[in-house]
mmCIF file of all heavy atoms in Angstrom:
data_model
loop_
_atom_site.group_PDB
_atom_site.id
_atom_site.type_symbol
_atom_site.label_atom_id
_atom_site.label_comp_id
_atom_site.label_asym_id
_atom_site.label_seq_id
_atom_site.Cartn_x
_atom_site.Cartn_y
_atom_site.Cartn_z
ATOM 1 N N LEU A 265 93.657 116.648 75.403
ATOM 2 C CA LEU A 265 94.254 115.314 75.551
ATOM 3 C C LEU A 265 93.949 114.465 74.316
ATOM 4 O O LEU A 265 92.844 114.543 73.761
ATOM 5 C CB LEU A 265 93.705 114.611 76.799
ATOM 6 C CG LEU A 265 94.151 115.156 78.145
ATOM 7 C CD1 LEU A 265 93.426 114.431 79.279
ATOM 8 C CD2 LEU A 265 95.662 115.019 78.305
ATOM 9 N N PRO A 266 94.881 113.631 73.903
ATOM 10 C CA PRO A 266 94.627 112.779 72.736
ATOM 11 C C PRO A 266 93.503 111.772 73.022
ATOM 12 O O PRO A 266 93.342 111.318 74.156
ATOM 13 C CB PRO A 266 95.960 112.059 72.505
ATOM 14 C CG PRO A 266 96.705 112.173 73.789
ATOM 15 C CD PRO A 266 96.200 113.409 74.484
ATOM 16 N N HIS A 267 92.729 111.493 71.999
ATOM 17 C CA HIS A 267 91.660 110.492 72.072
ATOM 18 C C HIS A 267 90.624 110.827 73.146
ATOM 19 O O HIS A 267 89.982 109.938 73.693
ATOM 20 C CB HIS A 267 92.225 109.083 72.306
ATOM 21 C CG HIS A 267 93.296 108.721 71.353
ATOM 22 N ND1 HIS A 267 93.057 108.427 70.030
ATOM 23 C CD2 HIS A 267 94.640 108.629 71.509
ATOM 24 C CE1 HIS A 267 94.204 108.167 69.417
ATOM 25 N NE2 HIS A 267 95.179 108.281 70.296
ATOM 26 N N THR A 268 90.511 112.115 73.455
ATOM 27 C CA THR A 268 89.637 112.553 74.536
ATOM 28 C C THR A 268 88.905 113.816 74.113
ATOM 29 O O THR A 268 89.507 114.718 73.537
ATOM 30 C CB THR A 268 90.461 112.831 75.812
ATOM 31 O OG1 THR A 268 91.168 111.638 76.164
ATOM 32 C CG2 THR A 268 89.608 113.268 76.970
ATOM 33 N N GLN A 269 87.616 113.852 74.415
ATOM 34 C CA GLN A 269 86.809 115.036 74.114
ATOM 35 C C GLN A 269 86.142 115.528 75.391
ATOM 36 O O GLN A 269 85.472 114.757 76.084
ATOM 37 C CB GLN A 269 85.742 114.701 73.073
ATOM 38 C CG GLN A 269 84.855 115.872 72.737
ATOM 39 C CD GLN A 269 83.753 115.509 71.769
ATOM 40 O OE1 GLN A 269 83.583 114.366 71.389
ATOM 41 N NE2 GLN A 269 82.993 116.513 71.370
ATOM 42 N N LEU A 270 86.328 116.800 75.697
ATOM 43 C CA LEU A 270 85.641 117.428 76.814
ATOM 44 C C LEU A 270 84.187 117.609 76.399
ATOM 45 O O LEU A 270 83.894 118.298 75.436
ATOM 46 C CB LEU A 270 86.292 118.775 77.142
ATOM 47 C CG LEU A 270 85.699 119.583 78.288
ATOM 48 C CD1 LEU A 270 85.879 118.856 79.617
ATOM 49 C CD2 LEU A 270 86.348 120.959 78.345
ATOM 50 N N THR A 271 83.268 116.966 77.107
ATOM 51 C CA THR A 271 81.867 116.992 76.706
ATOM 52 C C THR A 271 81.014 117.912 77.568
ATOM 53 O O THR A 271 80.017 118.450 77.090
ATOM 54 C CB THR A 271 81.258 115.579 76.716
ATOM 55 O OG1 THR A 271 81.400 115.016 78.027
ATOM 56 C CG2 THR A 271 81.941 114.680 75.687
ATOM 57 N N GLN A 272 81.366 118.079 78.838
ATOM 58 C CA GLN A 272 80.610 118.927 79.752
ATOM 59 C C GLN A 272 81.540 119.447 80.840
ATOM 60 O O GLN A 272 82.528 118.793 81.164
ATOM 61 C CB GLN A 272 79.495 118.126 80.440
ATOM 62 C CG GLN A 272 78.458 117.542 79.514
ATOM 63 C CD GLN A 272 77.418 116.790 80.338
ATOM 64 O OE1 GLN A 272 76.517 117.404 80.892
ATOM 65 N NE2 GLN A 272 77.566 115.479 80.446
ATOM 66 N N TRP A 273 81.157 120.592 81.410
ATOM 67 C CA TRP A 273 81.883 121.109 82.558
ATOM 68 C C TRP A 273 80.902 121.885 83.413
ATOM 69 O O TRP A 273 79.950 122.487 82.929
ATOM 70 C CB TRP A 273 83.074 121.976 82.163
ATOM 71 C CG TRP A 273 82.705 123.143 81.294
ATOM 72 C CD1 TRP A 273 82.398 124.408 81.714
ATOM 73 C CD2 TRP A 273 82.567 123.145 79.874
ATOM 74 N NE1 TRP A 273 82.084 125.205 80.647
ATOM 75 C CE2 TRP A 273 82.180 124.448 79.491
ATOM 76 C CE3 TRP A 273 82.742 122.181 78.879
ATOM 77 C CZ2 TRP A 273 81.959 124.812 78.174
ATOM 78 C CZ3 TRP A 273 82.512 122.541 77.564
ATOM 79 C CH2 TRP A 273 82.137 123.836 77.216
ATOM 80 N N SER A 274 81.145 121.802 84.695
ATOM 81 C CA SER A 274 80.261 122.459 85.661
ATOM 82 C C SER A 274 80.682 123.906 85.855
ATOM 83 O O SER A 274 81.733 124.348 85.386
ATOM 84 C CB SER A 274 80.319 121.736 87.007
ATOM 85 O OG SER A 274 81.552 121.999 87.657
ATOM 86 N N SER A 275 79.857 124.598 86.606
ATOM 87 C CA SER A 275 80.261 125.901 87.122
ATOM 88 C C SER A 275 81.431 125.676 88.076
ATOM 89 O O SER A 275 81.691 124.560 88.522
ATOM 90 C CB SER A 275 79.106 126.545 87.897
ATOM 91 O OG SER A 275 77.983 126.727 87.066
ATOM 92 N N THR A 276 82.118 126.760 88.387
ATOM 93 C CA THR A 276 83.189 126.714 89.374
ATOM 94 C C THR A 276 82.609 127.172 90.705
ATOM 95 O O THR A 276 81.867 128.152 90.763
ATOM 96 C CB THR A 276 84.355 127.623 88.951
ATOM 97 O OG1 THR A 276 84.813 127.203 87.665
ATOM 98 C CG2 THR A 276 85.504 127.543 89.936
ATOM 99 N N TYR A 277 82.933 126.445 91.749
ATOM 100 C CA TYR A 277 82.429 126.724 93.082
ATOM 101 C C TYR A 277 83.592 127.026 94.010
ATOM 102 O O TYR A 277 84.663 126.437 93.879
ATOM 103 C CB TYR A 277 81.673 125.513 93.641
ATOM 104 C CG TYR A 277 80.396 125.205 92.900
ATOM 105 C CD1 TYR A 277 80.409 124.480 91.715
ATOM 106 C CD2 TYR A 277 79.160 125.643 93.387
ATOM 107 C CE1 TYR A 277 79.238 124.198 91.029
ATOM 108 C CE2 TYR A 277 77.988 125.364 92.711
ATOM 109 C CZ TYR A 277 78.037 124.637 91.533
ATOM 110 O OH TYR A 277 76.862 124.362 90.861
ATOM 111 N N GLU A 278 83.353 127.912 94.959
ATOM 112 C CA GLU A 278 84.308 128.129 96.033
ATOM 113 C C GLU A 278 83.889 127.238 97.187
ATOM 114 O O GLU A 278 82.705 127.156 97.515
ATOM 115 C CB GLU A 278 84.289 129.587 96.466
ATOM 116 C CG GLU A 278 85.303 129.911 97.547
ATOM 117 C CD GLU A 278 85.258 131.375 97.917
ATOM 118 O OE1 GLU A 278 84.396 131.741 98.737
ATOM 119 O OE2 GLU A 278 86.076 132.134 97.370
ATOM 120 N N SER A 279 84.863 126.566 97.784
ATOM 121 C CA SER A 279 84.551 125.674 98.906
ATOM 122 C C SER A 279 85.580 125.833 100.012
ATOM 123 O O SER A 279 86.704 126.273 99.786
ATOM 124 C CB SER A 279 84.503 124.211 98.440
ATOM 125 O OG SER A 279 85.786 123.775 98.049
ATOM 126 N N ASP A 280 85.153 125.456 101.200
ATOM 127 C CA ASP A 280 86.045 125.468 102.356
ATOM 128 C C ASP A 280 87.056 124.334 102.234
ATOM 129 O O ASP A 280 86.749 123.280 101.660
ATOM 130 C CB ASP A 280 85.246 125.264 103.646
ATOM 131 C CG ASP A 280 84.298 126.423 103.939
ATOM 132 O OD1 ASP A 280 84.612 127.563 103.548
ATOM 133 O OD2 ASP A 280 83.252 126.169 104.554
ATOM 134 N N PRO A 281 88.254 124.508 102.801
ATOM 135 C CA PRO A 281 89.197 123.387 102.867
ATOM 136 C C PRO A 281 88.573 122.241 103.675
ATOM 137 O O PRO A 281 87.693 122.463 104.511
ATOM 138 C CB PRO A 281 90.405 123.969 103.592
ATOM 139 C CG PRO A 281 90.259 125.447 103.483
ATOM 140 C CD PRO A 281 88.792 125.727 103.383
ATOM 141 N N LEU A 282 89.015 121.035 103.429
ATOM 142 C CA LEU A 282 88.509 119.890 104.176
ATOM 143 C C LEU A 282 88.822 120.030 105.654
ATOM 144 O O LEU A 282 89.920 120.454 106.020
ATOM 145 C CB LEU A 282 89.136 118.589 103.654
ATOM 146 C CG LEU A 282 88.618 118.086 102.327
ATOM 147 C CD1 LEU A 282 89.481 116.936 101.828
ATOM 148 C CD2 LEU A 282 87.171 117.660 102.420
ATOM 149 N N PRO A 283 87.874 119.665 106.516
ATOM 150 C CA PRO A 283 88.160 119.687 107.955
ATOM 151 C C PRO A 283 89.314 118.732 108.269
ATOM 152 O O PRO A 283 89.454 117.689 107.645
ATOM 153 C CB PRO A 283 86.867 119.181 108.591
ATOM 154 C CG PRO A 283 85.830 119.220 107.530
ATOM 155 C CD PRO A 283 86.541 119.206 106.210
ATOM 156 N N GLY A 284 90.133 119.126 109.194
ATOM 157 C CA GLY A 284 91.234 118.249 109.590
ATOM 158 C C GLY A 284 92.433 118.326 108.670
ATOM 159 O O GLY A 284 93.324 117.491 108.734
ATOM 160 N N SER A 285 92.465 119.339 107.785
ATOM 161 C CA SER A 285 93.609 119.439 106.882
ATOM 162 C C SER A 285 94.871 119.874 107.614
ATOM 163 O O SER A 285 95.955 119.775 107.070
ATOM 164 C CB SER A 285 93.295 120.390 105.728
ATOM 165 O OG SER A 285 92.929 121.660 106.200
ATOM 166 N N GLY A 286 94.705 120.354 108.851
ATOM 167 C CA GLY A 286 95.865 120.590 109.703
ATOM 168 C C GLY A 286 96.503 121.944 109.592
ATOM 169 O O GLY A 286 97.160 122.391 110.501
ATOM 170 N N THR A 287 96.365 122.635 108.496
ATOM 171 C CA THR A 287 96.987 123.940 108.345
ATOM 172 C C THR A 287 95.952 124.936 107.870
ATOM 173 O O THR A 287 94.911 124.569 107.335
ATOM 174 C CB THR A 287 98.142 123.883 107.309
ATOM 175 O OG1 THR A 287 97.600 123.473 106.058
ATOM 176 C CG2 THR A 287 99.232 122.930 107.739
ATOM 177 N N SER A 288 96.252 126.191 108.056
ATOM 178 C CA SER A 288 95.378 127.244 107.565
ATOM 179 C C SER A 288 95.500 127.294 106.044
ATOM 180 O O SER A 288 96.600 127.419 105.502
ATOM 181 C CB SER A 288 95.794 128.577 108.178
ATOM 182 O OG SER A 288 95.026 129.610 107.645
ATOM 183 N N GLN A 289 94.364 127.146 105.359
ATOM 184 C CA GLN A 289 94.372 127.129 103.900
ATOM 185 C C GLN A 289 93.373 128.136 103.361
ATOM 186 O O GLN A 289 92.376 128.455 104.005
ATOM 187 C CB GLN A 289 93.986 125.742 103.373
ATOM 188 C CG GLN A 289 94.960 124.650 103.677
ATOM 189 C CD GLN A 289 94.569 123.362 102.975
ATOM 190 O OE1 GLN A 289 94.103 123.363 101.849
ATOM 191 N NE2 GLN A 289 94.759 122.249 103.654
ATOM 192 N N SER A 290 93.630 128.578 102.140
ATOM 193 C CA SER A 290 92.699 129.433 101.416
ATOM 194 C C SER A 290 91.525 128.598 100.921
ATOM 195 O O SER A 290 91.613 127.366 100.841
ATOM 196 C CB SER A 290 93.394 130.064 100.209
ATOM 197 O OG SER A 290 94.505 130.807 100.622
ATOM 198 N N GLN A 291 90.442 129.299 100.563
ATOM 199 C CA GLN A 291 89.294 128.639 99.942
ATOM 200 C C GLN A 291 89.745 127.958 98.645
ATOM 201 O O GLN A 291 90.681 128.402 98.000
ATOM 202 C CB GLN A 291 88.212 129.670 99.618
ATOM 203 C CG GLN A 291 87.669 130.410 100.821
ATOM 204 C CD GLN A 291 86.835 129.518 101.694
ATOM 205 O OE1 GLN A 291 87.290 129.065 102.729
ATOM 206 N NE2 GLN A 291 85.630 129.238 101.274
ATOM 207 N N TYR A 292 89.043 126.905 98.285
ATOM 208 C CA TYR A 292 89.312 126.188 97.044
ATOM 209 C C TYR A 292 88.361 126.629 95.953
ATOM 210 O O TYR A 292 87.207 126.984 96.222
ATOM 211 C CB TYR A 292 89.138 124.677 97.246
ATOM 212 C CG TYR A 292 90.349 123.998 97.813
ATOM 213 C CD1 TYR A 292 90.611 124.049 99.178
ATOM 214 C CD2 TYR A 292 91.229 123.319 96.997
ATOM 215 C CE1 TYR A 292 91.723 123.435 99.715
ATOM 216 C CE2 TYR A 292 92.357 122.702 97.525
ATOM 217 C CZ TYR A 292 92.594 122.761 98.882
ATOM 218 O OH TYR A 292 93.703 122.159 99.402
ATOM 219 N N ALA A 293 88.812 126.578 94.728
ATOM 220 C CA ALA A 293 87.946 126.646 93.551
ATOM 221 C C ALA A 293 87.806 125.204 93.078
ATOM 222 O O ALA A 293 88.808 124.488 92.937
ATOM 223 C CB ALA A 293 88.564 127.518 92.465
ATOM 224 N N ASN A 294 86.561 124.752 92.868
ATOM 225 C CA ASN A 294 86.298 123.371 92.466
ATOM 226 C C ASN A 294 85.341 123.331 91.281
ATOM 227 O O ASN A 294 84.469 124.189 91.147
ATOM 228 C CB ASN A 294 85.659 122.568 93.603
ATOM 229 C CG ASN A 294 86.594 122.372 94.763
ATOM 230 O OD1 ASN A 294 86.482 123.047 95.762
ATOM 231 N ND2 ASN A 294 87.515 121.450 94.625
ATOM 232 N N ALA A 295 85.483 122.320 90.469
ATOM 233 C CA ALA A 295 84.582 122.068 89.342
ATOM 234 C C ALA A 295 84.671 120.586 89.014
ATOM 235 O O ALA A 295 85.519 119.854 89.535
ATOM 236 C CB ALA A 295 84.965 122.916 88.133
ATOM 237 N N VAL A 296 83.794 120.146 88.120
ATOM 238 C CA VAL A 296 83.813 118.775 87.605
ATOM 239 C C VAL A 296 83.611 118.859 86.102
ATOM 240 O O VAL A 296 82.866 119.713 85.607
ATOM 241 C CB VAL A 296 82.699 117.921 88.250
ATOM 242 C CG1 VAL A 296 82.565 116.568 87.560
ATOM 243 C CG2 VAL A 296 82.980 117.710 89.733
#
Side-chain angles (χ1 to χ4, degrees):
L265 289 175
H267 309 287
T268 302
Q269 179 183 4
L270 180 65
T271 58
Q272 299 180 81
W273 57 93
S274 73
S275 300
T276 302
Y277 293 82
E278 182 179 83
S279 67
D280 294 330
L282 285 171
S285 57
T287 60
S288 176
Q289 294 187 38
S290 302
Q291 299 290 102
Y292 276 80
N294 293 102
V296 171

